[in-house]
Amino acid sequence: MTTPEELRYTEEHEWVATRGETVRVGITEYAQDQLGDVVFVDLPEVGRQVSAGDAFGEVESTKSVSELFAPLDGEIVAVNDGVADQPELINSDPYGEGWLIEIKLDDPTSVDSLLEAEAYQALTKD
């Protein structure tokens, strides 16, 4: 399984890429592997305020439906319409074209509270 070193991670199996005052969020390779083939993604509206831990959408696969949780506090400034049209992008390119949302952070330093790659790898080994 790939766990890019430059990303941060949540215990809910989401990755976070810092892009200045915004972050891009997706689900990890581990998560998409556990889900199986993704067939539907429900994403929020741009402009929605989220708090860390808030459910912001869901991913439906051939095995189950899983909620998506905001990793940090902020405003959703972009959603990936590409995954709404082609949910399989989450399986084929979870760290690239399969991203889900972008959040303008209330506090850009809050990214430091998330797991680093090594800690996330330890979490998924259990």
Side-chain angles (χ1 to χ4, degrees):
M1 293 278 162
T2 307
T3 310
E5 294 286 328
E6 69 277 8
L7 302 176
R8 292 294 186 120
Y9 300 88
T10 71
E11 292 182 5
E12 289 76 33
H13 308 290
E14 291 165 347
W15 58 262
V16 175
T18 304
R19 311 176 74 142
E21 289 187 1
T22 65
V23 292
R24 181 170 274 187
V25 180
I27 65 171
T28 65
E29 184 177 358
Y30 175 85
Q32 70 78 28
D33 186 59
Q34 297 296 306
L35 284 168
D37 293 335
V38 176
V39 296
F40 178 75
V41 183
D42 180 33
L43 296 175
E45 297 289 317
V46 170
R48 178 171 160 195
Q49 287 288 328
V50 291
S51 297
D54 285 356
F56 68 80
E58 56 187 35
V59 174
E60 185 177 327
S61 72
T62 54
K63 292 182 185 177
S64 67
V65 176
S66 298
E67 284 192 308
L68 299 166
F69 298 98
L72 302 163
D73 300 344
E75 177 187 353
I76 296 173
V77 294
V79 297
N80 185 355
D81 293 326
V83 296
D85 296 335
Q86 294 180 281
E88 64 274 9
L89 288 171
I90 292 171
N91 295 118
S92 63
D93 193 9
Y95 298 114
E97 294 300 313
W99 66 275
L100 301 172
I101 61 170
E102 290 184 357
I103 301 172
K104 184 176 190 303
L105 298 177
D106 290 348
D107 175 9
T109 65
S110 62
V111 172
D112 297 340
S113 68
L114 300 176
L115 300 172
E116 292 184 0
E118 190 174 316
Y120 181 71
Q121 288 169 336
L123 176 76
T124 58
K125 277 189 176 35
D126 295 338

